[in-house]
């Protein structure tokens, strides 16, 4: 099988029962994506598939041959951090860092959902959901942090959102 991951074509011959998470980590060496619970509870394995955030432990790799997959390694590099990665560093949005790749991928996907006007469980107006700290917390509730870096994670996401004019317009 060939996969399009972070803009490159990578080949692997996974077991048809292998999760996307296991293929990323064990076959393709992309260990930035973490395994926490392996059953959809923690969000550590979050990646972007065709721009949407998903739990890579809950999907089979063989379902994604024609998809555009983005992992934390594709968002930026240590020498060239993406805005969200840089914001997490600046806001100290982590302690052990185990949940951080999933948090960052999820945050990128989440801001895209906000920009598209998708409401969340706490949105007062389903037609114009707005965007505040309650929205950030709710929309990121699928990503757990055992170190409880949540306030700083919210700070990082808020900073990136504030710099995004599309989001500012969506929040008005
Ligand atoms: S490892 Fe996938 S949600 Fe926890
Ligand atoms: S920084 Fe340790 S689990 Fe989140």
């Amino acid at each position: 099988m060939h996969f399009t991951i972070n803009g490159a074509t990578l080949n692997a011959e996974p077991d048809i029962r292998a999760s996307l998470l296991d293929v990323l980590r064990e076959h393709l060496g992309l260990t930035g994506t973490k395994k926490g619970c392996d059953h959809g509870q923690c969000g550590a394995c979050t990646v972007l598939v065709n721009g949407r955030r998903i739990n890579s432990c809950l999907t089979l790799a063989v379902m994604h041959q024609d998809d555009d997959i983005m992992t934390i390694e594709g968002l930026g590099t240590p020498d060239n951090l993406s805005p969200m990665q840089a914001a997490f560093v600046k806001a100290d949005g982590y302690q052990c860092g185990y949940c951080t790749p999933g948090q960052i991928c999820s945050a990128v996907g989440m801001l895209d959902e906000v920009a598209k006007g998708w409401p969340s469980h706490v949105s007062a107006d389903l037609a114009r959901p707005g965007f505040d700290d309650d929205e950030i917390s709710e929309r990121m509730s699928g990503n757990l942090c055992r170190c409880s870096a949540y306030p700083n994670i919210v700070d990082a996401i808020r900073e990136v959102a504030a710099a995004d004019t599309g989001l500012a317009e969506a929040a008005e």
Side-chain angles (χ1 to χ4, degrees):
M1 289 186 63
H2 53 269
F3 297 93
T4 303
I5 303 178
N6 304 329
T9 300
L10 303 177
N11 298 308
E13 294 184 23
D15 188 297
I16 58 170
R17 298 162 296 182
S19 69
L20 178 58
L21 172 61
D22 283 343
V23 170
L24 288 171
R25 290 182 55 84
E26 309 300 335
H27 292 252
L28 301 174
L30 293 166
T31 55
T33 306
K34 302 302 186 216
K35 180 182 285 189
C37 63
D38 207 22
H39 59 275
Q41 298 292 307
C42 73
C45 65
T46 305
V47 298
L48 298 163
V49 174
N50 300 327
R52 291 191 62 179
R53 52 181 174 162
I54 66 167
N55 290 333
S56 61
C57 70
L58 289 185
T59 188
L60 297 173
V62 292
M63 298 166 62
H64 297 287
Q65 180 155 241
D66 297 320
D67 288 336
D68 182 9
I69 300 165
M70 179 76 73
T71 70
I72 190 68
E73 292 93 342
L75 286 179
T77 65
D79 295 329
N80 185 25
L81 297 175
S82 71
M84 190 64 76
Q85 289 169 318
F88 267 67
V89 172
K90 181 182 174 190
D92 205 15
Y94 50 84
Q95 289 185 41
C96 76
Y98 196 82
C99 73
T100 310
Q103 298 277 3
I104 290 174
C105 286
S106 187
V108 170
M110 180 269 280
L111 291 186
D112 185 56
E113 293 163 15
V114 174
K116 288 174 175 161
W118 296 359
S120 80
H121 183 64
V122 299
S123 301
D125 184 341
L126 299 184
R128 298 183 64 81
F131 194 61
D132 56 21
D133 285 4
D134 286 345
E135 285 280 356
I136 295 175
S137 296
E138 167 61 22
R139 291 171 185 273
M140 292 297 293
S141 61
N143 290 83
L144 305 183
C145 176
R146 288 295 298 271
C147 301
S148 269
Y150 298 115
N152 297 15
I153 291 169
V154 171
D155 286 348
I157 295 171
R158 189 193 314 110
E159 176 168 319
V160 174
D164 187 318
T165 51
L167 278 172
E169 290 170 8
E172 285 175 0

